[in-house]
Tab-separated table of all heavy atoms in Angstrom:
chain	number	residue	atom	x	y	z
A	33	ASP	N	-25.032	50.604	-45.204
A	33	ASP	CA	-25.184	50.419	-43.758
A	33	ASP	C	-23.866	49.923	-43.171
A	33	ASP	O	-23.387	48.844	-43.516
A	33	ASP	CB	-26.303	49.419	-43.467
A	33	ASP	CG	-26.662	49.339	-41.996
A	33	ASP	OD1	-25.790	49.590	-41.140
A	33	ASP	OD2	-27.814	49.006	-41.702
A	34	VAL	N	-23.294	50.708	-42.281
A	34	VAL	CA	-22.001	50.385	-41.679
A	34	VAL	C	-22.037	49.046	-40.943
A	34	VAL	O	-21.044	48.329	-40.901
A	34	VAL	CB	-21.532	51.530	-40.751
A	34	VAL	CG1	-22.374	51.595	-39.478
A	34	VAL	CG2	-20.057	51.409	-40.411
A	35	ASP	N	-23.182	48.687	-40.384
A	35	ASP	CA	-23.287	47.460	-39.595
A	35	ASP	C	-23.347	46.194	-40.451
A	35	ASP	O	-23.239	45.090	-39.930
A	35	ASP	CB	-24.513	47.520	-38.675
A	35	ASP	CG	-24.353	48.595	-37.616
A	35	ASP	OD1	-23.260	48.684	-37.022
A	35	ASP	OD2	-25.305	49.363	-37.392
A	36	LEU	N	-23.518	46.361	-41.764
A	36	LEU	CA	-23.586	45.209	-42.657
A	36	LEU	C	-22.276	44.950	-43.399
A	36	LEU	O	-22.191	44.005	-44.183
A	36	LEU	CB	-24.728	45.388	-43.663
A	36	LEU	CG	-26.123	45.533	-43.062
A	36	LEU	CD1	-27.147	45.745	-44.160
A	36	LEU	CD2	-26.465	44.327	-42.201
A	37	ASP	N	-21.271	45.779	-43.158
A	37	ASP	CA	-19.988	45.647	-43.836
A	37	ASP	C	-18.873	45.667	-42.793
A	37	ASP	O	-18.571	46.720	-42.224
A	37	ASP	CB	-19.816	46.796	-44.830
A	37	ASP	CG	-18.560	46.697	-45.654
A	37	ASP	OD1	-17.482	46.345	-45.105
A	37	ASP	OD2	-18.627	46.977	-46.858
A	38	PRO	N	-18.234	44.528	-42.517
A	38	PRO	CA	-17.226	44.465	-41.468
A	38	PRO	C	-16.064	45.448	-41.655
A	38	PRO	O	-15.565	46.003	-40.673
A	38	PRO	CB	-16.719	43.020	-41.527
A	38	PRO	CG	-17.807	42.260	-42.196
A	38	PRO	CD	-18.485	43.215	-43.125
A	39	GLN	N	-15.668	45.690	-42.894
A	39	GLN	CA	-14.564	46.626	-43.131
A	39	GLN	C	-14.979	48.065	-42.804
A	39	GLN	O	-14.224	48.808	-42.182
A	39	GLN	CB	-14.071	46.532	-44.565
A	39	GLN	CG	-13.357	45.224	-44.843
A	39	GLN	CD	-12.887	45.126	-46.287
A	39	GLN	OE1	-13.414	45.804	-47.165
A	39	GLN	NE2	-11.917	44.265	-46.522
A	40	LEU	N	-16.175	48.442	-43.227
A	40	LEU	CA	-16.660	49.778	-42.902
A	40	LEU	C	-16.903	49.924	-41.404
A	40	LEU	O	-16.619	50.975	-40.825
A	40	LEU	CB	-17.943	50.092	-43.674
A	40	LEU	CG	-17.798	50.332	-45.165
A	40	LEU	CD1	-19.169	50.540	-45.798
A	40	LEU	CD2	-16.886	51.501	-45.456
A	41	LEU	N	-17.413	48.880	-40.775
A	41	LEU	CA	-17.658	48.921	-39.337
A	41	LEU	C	-16.358	49.142	-38.577
A	41	LEU	O	-16.296	49.967	-37.658
A	41	LEU	CB	-18.337	47.627	-38.872
A	41	LEU	CG	-18.763	47.585	-37.410
A	41	LEU	CD1	-19.771	48.663	-37.099
A	41	LEU	CD2	-19.329	46.213	-37.073
A	42	ALA	N	-15.300	48.444	-38.963
A	42	ALA	CA	-14.001	48.603	-38.295
A	42	ALA	C	-13.451	50.018	-38.507
A	42	ALA	O	-12.783	50.570	-37.631
A	42	ALA	CB	-13.016	47.565	-38.825
A	43	ARG	N	-13.751	50.602	-39.645
A	43	ARG	CA	-13.186	51.903	-39.997
A	43	ARG	C	-14.005	53.089	-39.476
A	43	ARG	O	-13.448	54.112	-39.068
A	43	ARG	CB	-13.089	51.978	-41.514
A	43	ARG	CG	-12.353	53.152	-42.050
A	43	ARG	CD	-12.152	53.007	-43.548
A	43	ARG	NE	-11.592	54.198	-44.125
A	43	ARG	CZ	-11.554	54.455	-45.407
A	43	ARG	NH1	-12.049	53.591	-46.271
A	43	ARG	NH2	-11.030	55.568	-45.851
A	44	PHE	N	-15.355	52.959	-39.476
A	44	PHE	CA	-16.212	54.114	-39.211
A	44	PHE	C	-17.260	53.902	-38.118
A	44	PHE	O	-18.203	54.694	-38.030
A	44	PHE	CB	-16.956	54.518	-40.492
A	44	PHE	CG	-16.073	54.929	-41.625
A	44	PHE	CD1	-16.088	54.217	-42.812
A	44	PHE	CD2	-15.235	56.018	-41.515
A	44	PHE	CE1	-15.289	54.593	-43.872
A	44	PHE	CE2	-14.428	56.407	-42.567
A	44	PHE	CZ	-14.449	55.695	-43.747
A	45	ASP	N	-17.140	52.897	-37.304
A	45	ASP	CA	-18.184	52.523	-36.344
A	45	ASP	C	-18.821	53.708	-35.627
A	45	ASP	O	-20.029	53.904	-35.702
A	45	ASP	CB	-17.628	51.526	-35.338
A	45	ASP	CG	-18.660	51.035	-34.345
A	45	ASP	OD1	-19.877	51.149	-34.626
A	45	ASP	OD2	-18.269	50.526	-33.292
A	46	LEU	N	-18.052	54.498	-34.939
A	46	LEU	CA	-18.610	55.588	-34.143
A	46	LEU	C	-18.598	56.931	-34.864
A	46	LEU	O	-18.910	57.956	-34.259
A	46	LEU	CB	-17.841	55.702	-32.815
A	46	LEU	CG	-17.906	54.463	-31.929
A	46	LEU	CD1	-17.061	54.656	-30.683
A	46	LEU	CD2	-19.342	54.126	-31.561
A	47	GLU	N	-18.263	56.928	-36.143
A	47	GLU	CA	-18.133	58.177	-36.888
A	47	GLU	C	-19.283	58.459	-37.844
A	47	GLU	O	-19.290	59.500	-38.493
A	47	GLU	CB	-16.824	58.168	-37.683
A	47	GLU	CG	-15.611	58.117	-36.793
A	47	GLU	CD	-14.324	58.108	-37.599
A	47	GLU	OE1	-14.276	58.742	-38.666
A	47	GLU	OE2	-13.382	57.448	-37.160
A	48	VAL	N	-20.234	57.541	-37.986
A	48	VAL	CA	-21.313	57.754	-38.952
A	48	VAL	C	-22.143	58.973	-38.571
A	48	VAL	O	-22.265	59.264	-37.389
A	48	VAL	CB	-22.216	56.498	-39.088
A	48	VAL	CG1	-21.448	55.362	-39.690
A	48	VAL	CG2	-22.856	56.102	-37.791
A	49	PRO	N	-22.664	59.693	-39.515
A	49	PRO	CA	-22.602	59.468	-40.952
A	49	PRO	C	-21.264	59.934	-41.543
A	49	PRO	O	-20.673	60.901	-41.079
A	49	PRO	CB	-23.749	60.315	-41.498
A	49	PRO	CG	-23.865	61.446	-40.524
A	49	PRO	CD	-23.504	60.852	-39.181
A	50	VAL	N	-20.849	59.228	-42.573
A	50	VAL	CA	-19.615	59.546	-43.284
A	50	VAL	C	-19.940	59.614	-44.768
A	50	VAL	O	-20.670	58.770	-45.286
A	50	VAL	CB	-18.536	58.463	-43.026
A	50	VAL	CG1	-17.306	58.716	-43.867
A	50	VAL	CG2	-18.178	58.388	-41.550
A	51	LEU	N	-19.393	60.625	-45.430
A	51	LEU	CA	-19.529	60.741	-46.885
A	51	LEU	C	-18.188	60.393	-47.525
A	51	LEU	O	-17.147	60.910	-47.118
A	51	LEU	CB	-19.929	62.156	-47.291
A	51	LEU	CG	-21.366	62.552	-47.006
A	51	LEU	CD1	-21.578	64.041	-47.260
A	51	LEU	CD2	-22.327	61.726	-47.853
A	52	ILE	N	-18.243	59.511	-48.509
A	52	ILE	CA	-17.046	59.098	-49.245
A	52	ILE	C	-17.273	59.428	-50.710
A	52	ILE	O	-18.313	59.089	-51.275
A	52	ILE	CB	-16.787	57.588	-49.084
A	52	ILE	CG1	-16.579	57.232	-47.613
A	52	ILE	CG2	-15.596	57.158	-49.925
A	52	ILE	CD1	-16.500	55.735	-47.347
A	53	HIS	N	-16.291	60.072	-51.311
A	53	HIS	CA	-16.349	60.365	-52.745
A	53	HIS	C	-15.436	59.377	-53.449
A	53	HIS	O	-14.236	59.327	-53.181
A	53	HIS	CB	-15.902	61.807	-53.012
A	53	HIS	CG	-15.979	62.180	-54.450
A	53	HIS	ND1	-14.876	62.441	-55.208
A	53	HIS	CD2	-17.048	62.337	-55.269
A	53	HIS	CE1	-15.248	62.747	-56.431
A	53	HIS	NE2	-16.570	62.691	-56.489
A	54	ARG	N	-16.025	58.581	-54.330
A	54	ARG	CA	-15.268	57.614	-55.120
A	54	ARG	C	-15.240	58.112	-56.554
A	54	ARG	O	-16.267	58.180	-57.213
A	54	ARG	CB	-15.901	56.228	-55.055
A	54	ARG	CG	-15.819	55.612	-53.688
A	54	ARG	CD	-16.428	54.231	-53.669
A	54	ARG	NE	-16.305	53.654	-52.341
A	54	ARG	CZ	-17.107	52.725	-51.862
A	54	ARG	NH1	-18.088	52.249	-52.606
A	54	ARG	NH2	-16.932	52.252	-50.649
A	55	GLY	N	-14.045	58.456	-57.012
A	55	GLY	CA	-13.888	58.976	-58.365
A	55	GLY	C	-12.768	58.276	-59.099
A	55	GLY	O	-12.187	57.298	-58.606
A	56	ALA	N	-12.451	58.795	-60.265
A	56	ALA	CA	-11.397	58.211	-61.095
A	56	ALA	C	-10.045	58.256	-60.397
A	56	ALA	O	-9.186	57.405	-60.641
A	56	ALA	CB	-11.330	58.951	-62.429
A	57	ASP	N	-9.872	59.234	-59.506
A	57	ASP	CA	-8.603	59.375	-58.797
A	57	ASP	C	-8.568	58.631	-57.462
A	57	ASP	O	-7.647	58.811	-56.672
A	57	ASP	CB	-8.278	60.852	-58.594
A	57	ASP	CG	-9.380	61.603	-57.845
A	57	ASP	OD1	-10.506	61.086	-57.759
A	57	ASP	OD2	-9.105	62.707	-57.348
A	58	GLY	N	-9.566	57.815	-57.194
A	58	GLY	CA	-9.584	57.017	-55.965
A	58	GLY	C	-10.711	57.400	-55.025
A	58	GLY	O	-11.675	58.060	-55.413
A	59	GLU	N	-10.548	57.000	-53.786
A	59	GLU	CA	-11.568	57.200	-52.755
A	59	GLU	C	-11.099	58.260	-51.775
A	59	GLU	O	-9.949	58.249	-51.349
A	59	GLU	CB	-11.806	55.875	-52.030
A	59	GLU	CG	-12.850	55.942	-50.961
A	59	GLU	CD	-13.099	54.588	-50.325
A	59	GLU	OE1	-13.719	53.734	-50.978
A	59	GLU	OE2	-12.654	54.391	-49.183
A	60	ARG	N	-12.024	59.160	-51.410
A	60	ARG	CA	-11.682	60.225	-50.471
A	60	ARG	C	-12.809	60.397	-49.461
A	60	ARG	O	-13.980	60.569	-49.833
A	60	ARG	CB	-11.467	61.520	-51.258
A	60	ARG	CG	-11.095	62.712	-50.449
A	60	ARG	CD	-10.678	63.857	-51.362
A	60	ARG	NE	-11.704	64.219	-52.322
A	60	ARG	CZ	-12.533	65.260	-52.174
A	60	ARG	NH1	-12.456	66.041	-51.125
A	60	ARG	NH2	-13.449	65.521	-53.097
A	61	VAL	N	-12.470	60.322	-48.180
A	61	VAL	CA	-13.441	60.577	-47.118
A	61	VAL	C	-13.559	62.092	-46.979
A	61	VAL	O	-12.557	62.789	-46.797
A	61	VAL	CB	-12.997	59.941	-45.780
A	61	VAL	CG1	-13.981	60.291	-44.676
A	61	VAL	CG2	-12.859	58.434	-45.924
A	62	LEU	N	-14.787	62.578	-47.086
A	62	LEU	CA	-15.012	64.024	-47.001
A	62	LEU	C	-15.027	64.469	-45.548
A	62	LEU	O	-15.385	63.694	-44.647
A	62	LEU	CB	-16.329	64.387	-47.676
A	62	LEU	CG	-16.434	64.044	-49.165
A	62	LEU	CD1	-17.804	64.450	-49.701
A	62	LEU	CD2	-15.328	64.707	-49.954
A	63	PRO	N	-14.676	65.727	-45.309
A	63	PRO	CA	-14.761	66.252	-43.936
A	63	PRO	C	-16.202	66.180	-43.439
A	63	PRO	O	-17.143	66.145	-44.226
A	63	PRO	CB	-14.305	67.710	-44.081
A	63	PRO	CG	-13.615	67.794	-45.387
A	63	PRO	CD	-14.187	66.720	-46.254
A	64	ARG	N	-16.367	66.214	-42.148
A	64	ARG	CA	-17.704	66.150	-41.552
A	64	ARG	C	-18.495	67.413	-41.898
A	64	ARG	O	-17.977	68.517	-41.838
A	64	ARG	CB	-17.586	66.001	-40.036
A	64	ARG	CG	-18.899	65.642	-39.387
A	64	ARG	CD	-18.739	65.178	-37.964
A	64	ARG	NE	-18.277	63.829	-37.789
A	64	ARG	CZ	-18.983	62.744	-38.027
A	64	ARG	NH1	-20.185	62.840	-38.523
A	64	ARG	NH2	-18.479	61.558	-37.787
A	65	PHE	N	-19.766	67.216	-42.249
A	65	PHE	CA	-20.680	68.309	-42.601
A	65	PHE	C	-21.550	68.613	-41.387
A	65	PHE	O	-22.082	67.704	-40.757
A	65	PHE	CB	-21.546	67.872	-43.792
A	65	PHE	CG	-22.562	68.889	-44.210
A	65	PHE	CD1	-22.184	69.990	-44.960
A	65	PHE	CD2	-23.893	68.756	-43.854
A	65	PHE	CE1	-23.113	70.927	-45.358
A	65	PHE	CE2	-24.835	69.691	-44.242
A	65	PHE	CZ	-24.434	70.777	-44.999
A	66	SER	N	-21.718	69.887	-41.057
A	66	SER	CA	-22.523	70.270	-39.894
A	66	SER	C	-23.987	69.892	-40.091
A	66	SER	O	-24.602	70.258	-41.095
A	66	SER	CB	-22.428	71.773	-39.652
A	66	SER	OG	-23.336	72.153	-38.630
A	67	PRO	N	-24.576	69.192	-39.134
A	67	PRO	CA	-25.995	68.820	-39.249
A	67	PRO	C	-26.928	70.025	-39.154
A	67	PRO	O	-28.112	69.913	-39.449
A	67	PRO	CB	-26.212	67.851	-38.084
A	67	PRO	CG	-25.125	68.140	-37.121
A	67	PRO	CD	-23.963	68.656	-37.923
A	68	ARG	N	-26.415	71.181	-38.762
A	68	ARG	CA	-27.242	72.384	-38.636
A	68	ARG	C	-27.513	73.062	-39.976
A	68	ARG	O	-28.418	73.877	-40.078
A	68	ARG	CB	-26.566	73.373	-37.691
A	68	ARG	CG	-26.529	72.878	-36.268
A	68	ARG	CD	-26.005	73.975	-35.351
A	68	ARG	NE	-26.034	73.521	-33.983
A	68	ARG	CZ	-24.979	73.107	-33.313
A	68	ARG	NH1	-23.790	73.089	-33.891
A	68	ARG	NH2	-25.089	72.701	-32.070
A	69	LEU	N	-26.696	72.746	-40.979
A	69	LEU	CA	-26.855	73.394	-42.279
A	69	LEU	C	-27.934	72.700	-43.107
A	69	LEU	O	-28.185	71.515	-42.943
A	69	LEU	CB	-25.517	73.398	-43.014
A	69	LEU	CG	-24.386	74.136	-42.297
A	69	LEU	CD1	-23.092	74.027	-43.083
A	69	LEU	CD2	-24.742	75.591	-42.060
A	70	GLY	N	-28.548	73.456	-43.993
A	70	GLY	CA	-29.644	72.933	-44.804
A	70	GLY	C	-29.183	72.288	-46.098
A	70	GLY	O	-27.986	72.220	-46.398
A	71	ALA	N	-30.156	71.853	-46.886
A	71	ALA	CA	-29.883	71.138	-48.134
A	71	ALA	C	-29.131	72.005	-49.137
A	71	ALA	O	-28.216	71.534	-49.810
A	71	ALA	CB	-31.185	70.631	-48.742
A	72	SER	N	-29.495	73.275	-49.256
A	72	SER	CA	-28.804	74.138	-50.218
A	72	SER	C	-27.360	74.369	-49.805
A	72	SER	O	-26.470	74.413	-50.663
A	72	SER	CB	-29.546	75.462	-50.398
A	72	SER	OG	-29.594	76.178	-49.176
A	73	GLN	N	-27.110	74.509	-48.509
A	73	GLN	CA	-25.729	74.647	-48.041
A	73	GLN	C	-24.943	73.364	-48.291
A	73	GLN	O	-23.768	73.403	-48.635
A	73	GLN	CB	-25.670	75.010	-46.552
A	73	GLN	CG	-26.090	76.416	-46.251
A	73	GLN	CD	-27.486	76.481	-45.687
A	73	GLN	OE1	-28.232	75.498	-45.694
A	73	GLN	NE2	-27.875	77.642	-45.215
Side-chain angles (χ1 to χ4, degrees):
D33 189 332
V34 71
D35 294 315
L36 300 178
D37 184 318
Q39 290 179 338
L40 288 176
L41 185 61
R43 189 172 173 194
F44 299 119
D45 183 20
L46 299 177
E47 296 180 34
V48 294
V50 174
L51 286 171
I52 300 172
H53 182 247
R54 293 181 179 155
D57 57 343
E59 181 177 287
R60 181 170 57 100
V61 177
L62 300 180
R64 192 166 282 288
F65 178 78
S66 173
R68 292 187 177 102
L69 300 178
S72 62
Q73 288 103 349

